[in-house]
Amino acid sequence: MNVNRTVLTLDEFTIQSLRQFPHATGELSTLLRDIGLAAKRVNVEVNKAGLVDILGDAGTMNVQGEEVKKLDLFANNQFMGVLQRGISCAGIASEELDDFVAFDDEMSKNSKYVCLFDPLDGSGNIDVNVSIGTIFGIYRRKSPRGTLAAKEDFLQRGLEQVAAGYIVYGSSTMFVYATRRGVNGFTLDPSVGEFCLSHPNIKIPDSGNFYSVNHGNFFQYEDGVKEYIARCQNKTPENGGPYTQRYIGSMVADVHRNLIKGGIFMYPLTKDKPQGKLRLLYECNPFAFIVEVAGGKATDGHQRILEIVPTELHQRSAFFVGSKNMMAELEECLTGGKQVAG
Ligand code: AHM
Ligand code: MG
């Protein structure tokens, strides 16, 4: 195989981006490097999942009463560990932990950022060898440097994210992250153990042909969502169709595909989950940020996701995210033509 060794690694890329800002301290690059390191370790375990006894339920429930898999715990500990030992992160909040964790050492207390993450999203798919992922959002802390990170650092609007990203552990492993300047994707080259720039400056197509939604919940959705799904099913070549329904049950994989190829992902409110299923801070905000930077849109059906002021760490939300024109048509169905702000 001819491997192009001139391609930039994740570390090289973040350091090069830094050079464009003479006053930058490098803390964000360090943080991204730490996340990349944890991702590589998680990747190794994910690849071994079928072989060793790490597979299966850890036998406990997470804070939302959901079953926790061993790999969830492993991933959580890896991300928490690298961020704690690093020099840029004052604290973390994770989908797997009841409360945020403020790192209580001098270096961490003097750090600028906090990180919120879902260590292993789509974990229901681990046992069946389907893609899973990690999702993260990075915020500048509000509390003063030199002190312990506080709850206000974590309960910020998604708009305040400095960077957000995800790792998809799939047929290949990819690390995608966004800052306000753009979205870039890196594929893990296992021969050198580095994430290499493979998808520079990702832009989501304005329209696409993929719609991702759990059809099993169809009769629980509000009428506007049902109408939009019916429209998706009735697309013809004359009006941009036909559309294809693709829903893996791992949001990271579903949104990744739609980001690259164009599409829409929906997790609407249901009668069973009237607050929504997905977590605003760990799942919706990072993807809303990434997709907006890439030129798409993200709402809860009524409001721009990034403008929601969170009140709880584990708050849930309805989530609609994707290509601009598809989101516009969805909004037409949800609001009778009125545009969702943002
Ligand atoms: P998780 O954080 O417990 O893994 O749940 C989040 C996942 C998303 O990745 C996925 O899109 C969704 O849950 C699937 O839910 P459902 O099976 O209800 O369609
Ligand atoms: Mg999740």
Side-chain angles (χ1 to χ4, degrees), residues 46-51 55 71 122-132 169-171 248 250:
V46 167
N47 287 331
K48 291 200 301 213
L51 297 172
L55 179 68
L71 266 178
S123 49
N125 279 327
I126 296 171
D127 293 358
V128 288
N129 208 359
V130 169
S131 299
I132 47 184
Y169 311 99
S171 46
I248 299 174
S250 278

mmCIF file of all heavy atoms in Angstrom, residues 46-51 55 71 122-132 169-171 248 250:
data_model
loop_
_atom_site.group_PDB
_atom_site.id
_atom_site.type_symbol
_atom_site.label_atom_id
_atom_site.label_comp_id
_atom_site.label_asym_id
_atom_site.label_seq_id
_atom_site.Cartn_x
_atom_site.Cartn_y
_atom_site.Cartn_z
ATOM 1 N N VAL A 46 -12.173 -1.309 21.596
ATOM 2 C CA VAL A 46 -13.370 -1.540 20.780
ATOM 3 C C VAL A 46 -13.076 -2.645 19.762
ATOM 4 O O VAL A 46 -13.886 -3.545 19.542
ATOM 5 C CB VAL A 46 -13.815 -0.236 20.061
ATOM 6 C CG1 VAL A 46 -14.849 -0.519 18.974
ATOM 7 C CG2 VAL A 46 -14.385 0.762 21.067
ATOM 8 N N ASN A 47 -11.887 -2.612 19.179
ATOM 9 C CA ASN A 47 -11.525 -3.626 18.187
ATOM 10 C C ASN A 47 -11.384 -5.010 18.790
ATOM 11 O O ASN A 47 -11.543 -6.013 18.114
ATOM 12 C CB ASN A 47 -10.216 -3.249 17.481
ATOM 13 C CG ASN A 47 -10.437 -2.108 16.517
ATOM 14 O OD1 ASN A 47 -11.534 -1.958 15.983
ATOM 15 N ND2 ASN A 47 -9.440 -1.290 16.299
ATOM 16 N N LYS A 48 -11.078 -5.044 20.083
ATOM 17 C CA LYS A 48 -10.913 -6.339 20.758
ATOM 18 C C LYS A 48 -12.217 -6.825 21.374
ATOM 19 O O LYS A 48 -12.237 -7.895 21.977
ATOM 20 C CB LYS A 48 -9.898 -6.206 21.907
ATOM 21 C CG LYS A 48 -8.478 -5.983 21.472
ATOM 22 C CD LYS A 48 -7.493 -6.350 22.585
ATOM 23 C CE LYS A 48 -7.696 -5.563 23.857
ATOM 24 N NZ LYS A 48 -6.470 -5.276 24.607
ATOM 25 N N ALA A 49 -13.263 -6.020 21.242
ATOM 26 C CA ALA A 49 -14.464 -6.271 22.037
ATOM 27 C C ALA A 49 -14.990 -7.687 21.895
ATOM 28 O O ALA A 49 -15.494 -8.272 22.848
ATOM 29 C CB ALA A 49 -15.557 -5.270 21.696
ATOM 30 N N GLY A 50 -14.871 -8.263 20.704
ATOM 31 C CA GLY A 50 -15.401 -9.602 20.499
ATOM 32 C C GLY A 50 -14.498 -10.687 21.067
ATOM 33 O O GLY A 50 -14.897 -11.840 21.164
ATOM 34 N N LEU A 51 -13.276 -10.322 21.435
ATOM 35 C CA LEU A 51 -12.285 -11.332 21.797
ATOM 36 C C LEU A 51 -12.095 -11.504 23.292
ATOM 37 O O LEU A 51 -11.798 -12.583 23.768
ATOM 38 C CB LEU A 51 -10.916 -10.948 21.211
ATOM 39 C CG LEU A 51 -10.843 -10.884 19.691
ATOM 40 C CD1 LEU A 51 -9.507 -10.296 19.273
ATOM 41 C CD2 LEU A 51 -11.011 -12.285 19.120
ATOM 42 N N LEU A 55 -16.327 -7.384 26.842
ATOM 43 C CA LEU A 55 -17.627 -7.271 26.189
ATOM 44 C C LEU A 55 -18.752 -7.570 27.186
ATOM 45 O O LEU A 55 -18.630 -8.451 27.989
ATOM 46 C CB LEU A 55 -17.665 -8.281 25.048
ATOM 47 C CG LEU A 55 -18.931 -8.377 24.225
ATOM 48 C CD1 LEU A 55 -19.126 -7.119 23.410
ATOM 49 C CD2 LEU A 55 -18.838 -9.572 23.304
ATOM 50 N N LEU A 71 -17.400 -1.448 28.229
ATOM 51 C CA LEU A 71 -16.625 -0.541 27.393
ATOM 52 C C LEU A 71 -16.970 0.921 27.660
ATOM 53 O O LEU A 71 -16.134 1.803 27.489
ATOM 54 C CB LEU A 71 -16.847 -0.852 25.913
ATOM 55 C CG LEU A 71 -15.845 -1.780 25.258
ATOM 56 C CD1 LEU A 71 -16.232 -2.028 23.806
ATOM 57 C CD2 LEU A 71 -14.441 -1.207 25.311
ATOM 58 N N GLY A 122 -24.024 5.065 21.478
ATOM 59 C CA GLY A 122 -24.501 3.944 20.668
ATOM 60 C C GLY A 122 -24.052 2.622 21.245
ATOM 61 O O GLY A 122 -23.907 1.626 20.530
ATOM 62 N N SER A 123 -23.851 2.581 22.566
ATOM 63 C CA SER A 123 -23.234 1.397 23.170
ATOM 64 C C SER A 123 -24.113 0.152 23.055
ATOM 65 O O SER A 123 -23.617 -0.964 23.206
ATOM 66 C CB SER A 123 -22.838 1.661 24.615
ATOM 67 O OG SER A 123 -23.912 2.232 25.307
ATOM 68 N N GLY A 124 -25.384 0.343 22.745
ATOM 69 C CA GLY A 124 -26.251 -0.807 22.489
ATOM 70 C C GLY A 124 -25.752 -1.609 21.292
ATOM 71 O O GLY A 124 -26.134 -2.773 21.102
ATOM 72 N N ASN A 125 -24.888 -0.993 20.482
ATOM 73 C CA ASN A 125 -24.388 -1.657 19.272
ATOM 74 C C ASN A 125 -23.080 -2.416 19.481
ATOM 75 O O ASN A 125 -22.590 -3.057 18.551
ATOM 76 C CB ASN A 125 -24.161 -0.607 18.173
ATOM 77 C CG ASN A 125 -25.461 -0.245 17.475
ATOM 78 O OD1 ASN A 125 -26.336 -1.080 17.323
ATOM 79 N ND2 ASN A 125 -25.581 1.007 17.060
ATOM 80 N N ILE A 126 -22.500 -2.316 20.692
ATOM 81 C CA ILE A 126 -21.182 -2.939 20.907
ATOM 82 C C ILE A 126 -21.239 -4.442 20.633
ATOM 83 O O ILE A 126 -20.400 -4.989 19.930
ATOM 84 C CB ILE A 126 -20.694 -2.727 22.368
ATOM 85 C CG1 ILE A 126 -20.479 -1.249 22.653
ATOM 86 C CG2 ILE A 126 -19.399 -3.505 22.616
ATOM 87 C CD1 ILE A 126 -20.221 -0.965 24.134
ATOM 88 N N ASP A 127 -22.266 -5.082 21.210
ATOM 89 C CA ASP A 127 -22.342 -6.545 21.140
ATOM 90 C C ASP A 127 -22.533 -7.064 19.721
ATOM 91 O O ASP A 127 -22.354 -8.254 19.469
ATOM 92 C CB ASP A 127 -23.525 -7.053 21.981
ATOM 93 C CG ASP A 127 -23.296 -6.805 23.458
ATOM 94 O OD1 ASP A 127 -22.224 -6.292 23.812
ATOM 95 O OD2 ASP A 127 -24.203 -7.129 24.250
ATOM 96 N N VAL A 128 -22.924 -6.190 18.807
ATOM 97 C CA VAL A 128 -23.262 -6.674 17.462
ATOM 98 C C VAL A 128 -22.363 -6.069 16.395
ATOM 99 O O VAL A 128 -22.716 -6.019 15.211
ATOM 100 C CB VAL A 128 -24.756 -6.419 17.153
ATOM 101 C CG1 VAL A 128 -25.621 -7.361 17.947
ATOM 102 C CG2 VAL A 128 -25.146 -4.971 17.426
ATOM 103 N N ASN A 129 -21.189 -5.559 16.844
ATOM 104 C CA ASN A 129 -20.162 -5.163 15.895
ATOM 105 C C ASN A 129 -20.595 -4.059 14.943
ATOM 106 O O ASN A 129 -20.309 -4.095 13.745
ATOM 107 C CB ASN A 129 -19.733 -6.412 15.089
ATOM 108 C CG ASN A 129 -18.317 -6.295 14.605
ATOM 109 O OD1 ASN A 129 -17.663 -5.287 14.858
ATOM 110 N ND2 ASN A 129 -17.841 -7.290 13.888
ATOM 111 N N VAL A 130 -21.352 -3.107 15.464
ATOM 112 C CA VAL A 130 -21.784 -1.960 14.657
ATOM 113 C C VAL A 130 -21.060 -0.722 15.179
ATOM 114 O O VAL A 130 -20.722 -0.644 16.371
ATOM 115 C CB VAL A 130 -23.323 -1.803 14.748
ATOM 116 C CG1 VAL A 130 -23.786 -0.485 14.148
ATOM 117 C CG2 VAL A 130 -24.013 -2.971 14.051
ATOM 118 N N SER A 131 -20.819 0.251 14.296
ATOM 119 C CA SER A 131 -20.062 1.452 14.671
ATOM 120 C C SER A 131 -20.609 2.129 15.920
ATOM 121 O O SER A 131 -21.820 2.240 16.100
ATOM 122 C CB SER A 131 -20.105 2.469 13.533
ATOM 123 O OG SER A 131 -19.516 1.922 12.401
ATOM 124 N N ILE A 132 -19.691 2.591 16.748
ATOM 125 C CA ILE A 132 -20.042 3.376 17.925
ATOM 126 C C ILE A 132 -19.146 4.608 17.937
ATOM 127 O O ILE A 132 -18.293 4.750 17.047
ATOM 128 C CB ILE A 132 -19.891 2.548 19.227
ATOM 129 C CG1 ILE A 132 -18.552 1.805 19.228
ATOM 130 C CG2 ILE A 132 -21.035 1.588 19.389
ATOM 131 C CD1 ILE A 132 -18.367 0.892 20.428
ATOM 132 N N TYR A 169 -15.789 4.909 15.710
ATOM 133 C CA TYR A 169 -15.048 3.655 15.657
ATOM 134 C C TYR A 169 -15.805 2.776 14.666
ATOM 135 O O TYR A 169 -16.769 2.102 15.038
ATOM 136 C CB TYR A 169 -14.979 3.001 17.047
ATOM 137 C CG TYR A 169 -14.527 3.966 18.140
ATOM 138 C CD1 TYR A 169 -15.458 4.583 18.983
ATOM 139 C CD2 TYR A 169 -13.175 4.278 18.295
ATOM 140 C CE1 TYR A 169 -15.041 5.470 19.967
ATOM 141 C CE2 TYR A 169 -12.764 5.177 19.276
ATOM 142 C CZ TYR A 169 -13.708 5.774 20.110
ATOM 143 O OH TYR A 169 -13.314 6.662 21.077
ATOM 144 N N GLY A 170 -15.405 2.875 13.406
ATOM 145 C CA GLY A 170 -16.162 2.190 12.353
ATOM 146 C C GLY A 170 -15.261 1.329 11.515
ATOM 147 O O GLY A 170 -14.279 0.773 12.014
ATOM 148 N N SER A 171 -15.580 1.223 10.217
ATOM 149 C CA SER A 171 -14.737 0.408 9.334
ATOM 150 C C SER A 171 -13.332 0.988 9.332
ATOM 151 O O SER A 171 -12.340 0.287 9.148
ATOM 152 C CB SER A 171 -15.320 0.323 7.926
ATOM 153 O OG SER A 171 -15.714 1.596 7.492
ATOM 154 N N ILE A 248 -28.808 3.689 11.945
ATOM 155 C CA ILE A 248 -27.991 2.620 12.519
ATOM 156 C C ILE A 248 -28.276 2.440 14.003
ATOM 157 O O ILE A 248 -28.089 1.366 14.559
ATOM 158 C CB ILE A 248 -26.489 2.947 12.313
ATOM 159 C CG1 ILE A 248 -26.175 3.055 10.823
ATOM 160 C CG2 ILE A 248 -25.598 1.900 12.960
ATOM 161 C CD1 ILE A 248 -24.773 3.510 10.525
ATOM 162 N N SER A 250 -26.641 4.442 16.121
ATOM 163 C CA SER A 250 -25.470 5.119 16.679
ATOM 164 C C SER A 250 -25.463 6.500 16.038
ATOM 165 O O SER A 250 -25.150 6.623 14.850
ATOM 166 C CB SER A 250 -24.170 4.426 16.281
ATOM 167 O OG SER A 250 -23.892 3.335 17.088
#
